Every structure is written in C-alpha cells, then in structure tokens.
Amino acid sequence: CNRQISFMIAQKSFDRPLVGFLARAFHCIPVSRPQDSIFKGHGKVIADGTATLRGDGTRFREQLEVGAMVEVGGSAPAKVTEVVSDTEVLVEGELKATDGAVPYKIHPVVSRTSMYDKVYTALKKGQCLGIFPEGGSHDRTDLLPLKAGVAVIALDAHRKHHMTVPIVPVGLNYFQGHRFGGRVVVEFGPPIVVPEQVYTQHETDRRGAVEALLQLISTGMRSVIVPTPDYQTLQQIYMARRLYVPDGLKLSAEQTMDLNRRFAIGIQRIVRATERAPGDGGGSPSSRSPSSAAAVASMMSAEDLRFVHEFRSEVEDYMSTLKRLGLKDHQVRQIGWWGVPDLVGRLLFLVVTMCLAAIPQLMFSLPVMYIASRFAESEQRKALKASSTKLAARDVVMSYKIIYVLILVPFLYVIYGTLILLYCQWCWTTIVLVFAGCPFCAFLGTKASEQGVRAYADIVPLFQRLLPGPRAEQDKLPARRAALQKKLSQAVKRFGPLLGDLYQRKAVDWAKEMGWFTYAAANAQAAEGSMAASVSAAADKEGDVCPDKGDAPDAAQCSSDMPKGGEEGADTVARRAAAAGHAEEDEVRAPARSGAVPPQTSFAPLPALASDLV
C-alpha cells in the first residue's frame, strides 16, 4: 500500500526540537491534550464543601472560562459552570472543604478544531491516520482505557463528510523492549468496519455510539496483543508455551504470538473458573458462551480445581528456581551434558567475541549507550513520579534511549571527524573510507558483543556446576521440566475441549475470543473503581478517579496519566514491585518476521501438538 500514514502526536512532543523535526518530516498531526496545558492558578482558593469556589488574590475572569477544570488540593478536577467574578466561580458537584486557602491548578479548555480539520483533510485525500488510542505509552500487560478520539473521528467522518473509515488494529509486542537489542513483533488485525446500527445510534445518542465503537476497538486491539492482568501471569503464559512446544521445533513470530494468545485466554478462563464455585452461573450473555469462564467452572470438578492449583504452583516454583540459579528454560535441556570442556569452550568464545568487540564498542557503542542509559533512567524516575498508570516506566526508558542515541551518534562522529582533520595527515580519500567503514565496524562490534553476552549467560551456571550443591539442584531440573511437560500435556487434553475454538480450530477468530476478555476487563475495572470509591469514602480522602466529561475529546478535561491525589495507590505500588521483580524474567526472543507465512505453515491447533509431547 502506497498510502501515507500521518501519526497523531502530542503537541507537547511536537514542540520539542528533535522530536518535532522528525514529526514534521513524517507528516505527523499535533494534538493538544488537556494534561499538557495544566498550569498553576494565580492566588489561592477556599472551598467550603459546596459548589462555590472562592479566591484570595485570584484572577478567575482572566484565567478561567466555562468548561475549564479546577483542581484544588490534589482532588479530582471539577468543571467550571459559571465565572461569577475574579474571586468566585461555580463548579459541577461539590468540592471537599479545604483547611484555609490552598493553591490550585487550572485545566484549560483545549480547542481541537484545527486538528480535526487536518485529520478529515488527510482522510479525504486517501491517507491513513495513525492513532495511539490509549492516549500515551505505558508498560502494563493490558490496554489502558481507550480515549474517545478514535471513535469520534470515525463517526464524525461518516456524519459530517460521508466517509466510511475502517479501523485497523495494530499490536506492538515487545520483548525486552527497554534494552538495547530488544525485539518487537508487529501484528495487524482485520479491519474493523463500523456497524450501521452504530452510525444510526450516533444520530441520537453520541455518547452511547462512541462507547459501543470503543468496545469494538478494544476487542480488536486485544486480538493483536497478549493481554494479561499482570506480569506474573504473563511470565507463566510464556513458560507454558515454552513447555508445550516440542523440543527442537522452531516457531515463527506469527506462530509464537498465536500460541501465546491461546494460552493467555485459555489459562485465564480456567483460572477464573477456579475462583468460582462449580455450577455458579451468571454474567453477561457473552460470558455464558460454551467456552466462557462460567461454563468452564460449571464443568470442572473439585479434583480439576485442585489439579489446576497444584500445576500452577509447580510452574511458579520451577520459574523461581530458574531465576535463583541464573538459568533460562532453554538451557535446562542441555544442562545434563554440561561439563568442564563446555566451560573452557565458552570462556574461549567469550574472550574471542570480547576481543573482536572491544575496539568498536569502546569507540562507538559504549559511550553512546552509557550516556543514553543514564539520561533515560533520569527520565524514568520523573515519569514514575508524574504518572499512576506506569509500573516501571520501561516505555519511557525505551523512548528516551532512542531519542538520545539519535542525538549522540552524529555528535560522536562529528568529534571523531574533527580529531582526524586536526591531528591526522591523511588524504581525503583515506578520510572518506575511514568514515564509510566506521558504521560497519560499529555494527560488527555490536553483534559480537551480543554473542559475548549470551556466552556469559551460559558461563554463570557452568561455574555453579563446579559446586556440589548447585550442581545437584541443576541435575534435577531436566526431570522436573519433563514432568511439567507431561502434566501440561495432560492438562491440555483434560481442559482443552472446554475452551471451544481455542483448542479445536487452527484459525481462531480472535475478535470473538477477545470479546470475552474485554468484558472481563471492563468488569474488573468497574469493580476496582467501586472498591476505590468505597475505600476513599471510608478513609475520607481526596483523589477520586477523574470522571469522563462529555462524549468528545474536547470535553474530556482529565487524563488517566495524572496522579490521583498526589499519592500512589497500594495496587500501583504492588504492580510496580511485581514488575521490578519480573523485569529480568522475560527472555523470549521472537524470530524476526520475514514476510507472510504461507497457509500450509500455519501453527497446528492444540490437539495436534499435544500428541507430540512426552
């Protein structure tokens, strides 16, 4: 497809020197976000528990307008309904009484008319529009609640400009994405065509139509990622996939992601089933489908539930043992044949690769990587303080490493070029050849260092085998792994038929399967919100979840990226701790995509592989 893609980018990022230059070069469309325009109001304010906000030294007529939001003392922003005077305004709802005059923040009304004009002009020209509907980057294992902008654009394009805009979900699946040399698998889902009934609903109920379309988009986006509730579950899914695939079988990126999703949905349905009492029904109509958690629970006996709990505990114990011994799962299959010759051979290989990589790395890669990593860590700490949605802010680390590398690499070459011109009496031909060969040498050094890092990862457990205690524990791992493989094969045969298409079909309709997960995630978010509200009311604290105002992005004057009440919840702290604990575990290496996979090479359904296991 020769269509140009215009990505939407935050105005805050668009105004940065380097990022803005690259954004303009790629024809990005800037978007003004309310959270990027927040500023401290003049003077201080006093709230008395009513809808009236009084000021002391304030300039409300100058700084506020109807529709703007006021954040008092870290509480949830309140929408301004009337500006009475420079020292008095009325807001929606009732503000919690303050202890005297306190500072306040203003969320101004952000007009997006020019942005929408650019969007519809690009769509009329047949261009593609790239949107990140979550509203920002994050490092969670599932989607954040989607912003309304993508739905508003699709619906208004049809209502105002008579254009039918299909929505193509794209999944970015990172493997050690916050590190240099990390990998990513990009997946494209089937286009989402807005149903005619949603267009009809949009004529009379804009909010309802936007929410219905966002539900469809959420389902489509989950069909191109591996959604899980937390990092621990994600690591268990990766481990189940490694144990399930027969030894020696190499999966393509598409097959790996397909199997990850089968295990992700299947395991979570079974886990949810174990949390229900057998025979407990209820739920939505979609939850009562033949493969839903409720249906699975009704068909599981007490023995089945005990089997699931025991197997999950064994997998977690196996994973913790590997982490403690510094081993990866793929090394367990070879550990029985490791000896002193292997240690000597890997030491020699490590020395050779380090020697080959030493000069290029010291000259080109290490200075850039060190400086970029230090600056990225500084930005990571800032992001964790400013956001309640990030777990470890690995997305910030990745982004800033790329930005700083783009700045530092040309700067480094300028320094080397200046030194050569000043201190080397070379002819211009030699200078040109040296500069032409520098990127090639840097690339070879990087590849050699990657091999050296892998050799070092093998050397650590080899050194441990010289000690009696760790050696005995390592020798038990192959048998434990084989037992887990056999037990997993039994579990697949035992519970697979309860999961419907996930088990029986080679090609799964992921939009249908992810509909269950989207419903479950929505219920979990609603339950979490209700619990947070009740806890907040009981503790008489400020910091309620910012409500959604209006049915278009112009009216939404709050962001999920803003800290709630200036404090982190216990759930956020726990998730961050879990993320930090599991940050080193995800060593999945997705093979690079080399084009479309022919139909005959598609991954076999679960029953076909189950017969190949031990």
Side-chain angles (χ1 to χ4, degrees):
C1 178
N2 295 322
R3 293 184 177 183
Q4 174 186 302
I5 301 179
S6 297
F7 285 95
M8 302 185 73
I9 182 174
Q11 184 72 52
K12 180 180 179 182
S13 300
F14 194 82
D15 293 337
R16 293 179 177 175
L18 177 62
V19 177
F21 171 77
L22 295 174
R24 282 183 282 273
F26 287 100
H27 307 282
C28 294
I29 300 174
V31 180
S32 297
R33 302 184 303 179
Q35 64 265 32
D36 295 335
S37 305
I38 299 173
F39 63 94
K40 185 178 180 180
H42 191 273
K44 295 185 177 181
V45 294
I46 302 173
D48 57 4
T50 66
T52 301
L53 186 67
R54 293 179 173 82
D56 180 13
T58 54
R59 299 200 295 258
F60 287 155
R61 290 187 185 276
E62 177 184 338
Q63 294 186 318
L64 286 176
E65 61 180 305
V66 175
M69 311 282 283
V70 180
E71 183 181 343
V72 180
S75 62
K79 187 175 182 180
V80 176
T81 58
E82 182 182 353
V83 181
V84 180
S85 66
D86 274 337
T87 58
E88 184 178 349
V89 295
L90 300 179
V91 300
E92 277 187 358
E94 296 181 353
L95 290 170
K96 185 177 289 294
T98 59
D99 186 12
V102 296
Y104 67 104
K105 294 181 180 179
I106 297 175
H107 302 220
V109 176
V110 176
S111 175
R112 295 176 175 169
T113 303
S114 60
M115 181 271 290
Y116 281 126
D117 290 341
K118 293 179 182 178
V119 165
Y120 296 131
T121 300
L123 291 175
K124 287 178 181 178
K125 292 180 180 179
Q127 297 177 1
C128 296
L129 186 67
I131 302 179
F132 295 87
E134 294 171 278
S137 64
H138 64 93
D139 54 354
R140 290 179 177 264
T141 55
D142 192 19
L143 299 177
L144 294 177
L146 302 188
K147 306 298 183 183
V150 59
V152 170
I153 290 172
L155 293 172
D156 280 354
H158 183 272
R159 183 173 64 90
K160 297 179 180 179
H161 304 279
H162 309 289
M163 292 185 294
T164 300
V165 181
I167 302 168
V168 180
V170 182
L172 304 178
N173 300 275
Y174 292 95
F175 301 94
Q176 295 290 340
H178 61 293
R179 293 182 176 178
F180 286 108
R183 302 185 183 185
V184 60
V185 176
V186 182
E187 285 203 66
F188 297 86
I192 300 170
V193 179
V194 182
E196 192 63 35
Q197 58 266 31
V198 176
Y199 285 136
T200 304
Q201 182 183 9
H202 189 240
E203 297 296 331
T204 56
D205 180 12
R206 295 190 63 189
R207 175 182 289 274
V210 168
E211 291 177 352
L213 183 54
L214 285 178
Q215 192 84 347
L216 292 176
I217 296 171
S218 297
T219 300
M221 291 187 65
R222 285 192 171 95
S223 70
V224 290
I225 62 173
V226 183
T228 57
D230 50 55
Y231 270 96
Q232 183 179 8
T233 304
L234 182 64
Q235 298 303 322
Q236 291 172 359
I237 288 165
Y238 287 155
M239 180 58 66
R241 189 253 303 156
R242 295 189 195 105
L243 294 172
Y244 184 75
V245 176
D247 296 345
L249 178 61
K250 180 81 170 179
L251 301 183
S252 67
E254 291 86 353
Q255 293 169 340
T256 300
M257 295 304 299
D258 179 82
L259 192 53
N260 282 340
R261 271 192 290 271
R262 290 178 191 260
F263 274 115
I265 301 302
I267 287 176
Q268 289 177 78
R269 283 181 183 170
I270 292 174
V271 168
R272 287 180 185 272
T274 62
E275 297 170 355
R276 294 170 174 262
D280 183 20
S284 71
S286 61
S287 72
R288 291 191 295 268
S289 61
S291 57
S292 68
V296 172
S298 66
M299 291 183 282
M300 293 180 65
S301 63
E303 182 182 353
D304 293 333
L305 301 181
R306 185 167 55 254
F307 179 90
V308 171
H309 285 300
E310 290 177 357
F311 180 69
R312 193 176 184 185
S313 299
E314 291 176 10
V315 171
E316 290 176 354
D317 184 60
Y318 174 71
M319 292 169 60
S320 63
T321 302
L322 291 181
K323 185 176 181 180
R324 178 165 46 81
L325 295 176
L327 284 167
K328 305 302 177 186
D329 179 68
H330 67 87
Q331 296 174 319
V332 174
R333 293 171 289 181
Q334 313 161 6
I335 203 169
W337 292 276
W338 282 356
V340 176
D342 297 278
L343 176 59
V344 174
R346 280 173 170 78
L347 281 173
L348 291 175
F349 181 75
L350 178 63
V351 171
V352 171
T353 54
M354 290 295 100
C355 289
L356 292 174
I359 295 178
Q361 285 288 90
L362 288 174
M363 289 183 61
F364 301 105
S365 300
L366 285 182
V368 172
M369 291 169 62
Y370 178 79
I371 297 174
S373 297
R374 297 286 79 77
F375 278 108
E377 288 174 1
S378 174
E379 298 293 340
Q380 179 187 25
R381 289 190 290 270
K382 294 179 184 177
L384 286 174
K385 290 180 181 179
S387 174
S388 61
T389 63
K390 299 184 186 297
L391 302 180
R394 296 194 196 94
D395 55 311
V396 175
V397 174
M398 174 180 60
S399 300
Y400 277 96
K401 278 183 178 180
I402 294 173
I403 292 174
Y404 287 125
V405 165
L406 290 175
I407 297 174
L408 292 172
V409 168
F411 182 71
L412 186 66
Y413 276 78
V414 169
I415 293 176
Y416 285 153
T418 303
L419 294 176
I420 289 175
L421 291 175
L422 291 177
Y423 298 105
C424 296
Q425 304 299 321
W426 293 345
C427 65
W428 283 105
T429 303
T430 303
I431 293 175
V432 171
L433 290 176
V434 168
F435 268 91
C438 282
F440 181 69
C441 292
F443 174 76
L444 290 182
T446 301
K447 300 305 290 185
S449 64
E450 287 179 359
Q451 295 300 320
V453 169
R454 292 193 178 100
Y456 176 77
D458 287 340
I459 287 174
V460 173
L462 280 169
F463 268 117
Q464 289 184 338
R465 286 188 67 78
L466 300 177
L467 303 174
R471 181 187 181 93
E473 197 168 7
Q474 288 179 357
D475 288 339
K476 296 177 182 178
L477 287 177
R480 287 181 62 182
R481 188 179 190 277
L484 284 175
Q485 282 185 303
K486 185 174 182 180
K487 203 164 187 177
L488 177 61
S489 177
Q490 294 172 350
V492 168
K493 294 177 181 178
R494 187 172 184 173
F495 304 114
L498 306 180
L499 301 176
D501 292 349
L502 288 178
Y503 178 78
Q504 297 166 353
R505 291 188 177 275
K506 184 175 292 187
V508 177
D509 182 0
W510 288 114
K512 171 188 172 185
E513 298 298 333
M514 291 297 172
W516 168 85
F517 191 92
T518 300
Y519 172 80
N523 281 350
Q525 290 174 2
E528 183 178 353
S530 300
M531 184 172 63
S534 61
V535 170
S536 176
D540 195 26
K541 281 188 175 182
E542 297 179 355
D544 296 334
V545 176
C546 181
D548 183 21
K549 304 288 184 183
D551 56 357
D554 297 323
Q557 297 295 313
C558 60
S559 169
S560 60
D561 281 335
M562 298 189 322
K564 301 176 180 63
E567 297 181 293
E568 290 180 342
D571 178 64
T572 301
V573 175
R575 287 176 181 271
R576 286 185 180 166
H582 292 282
E584 305 301 325
E585 292 186 18
D586 183 9
E587 290 294 336
V588 181
R589 294 187 173 91
R593 296 173 69 100
S594 57
V597 178
Q600 62 269 24
T601 62
S602 59
F603 190 68
L606 291 175
L609 268 185
S611 61
D612 296 331
L613 286 173
V614 177

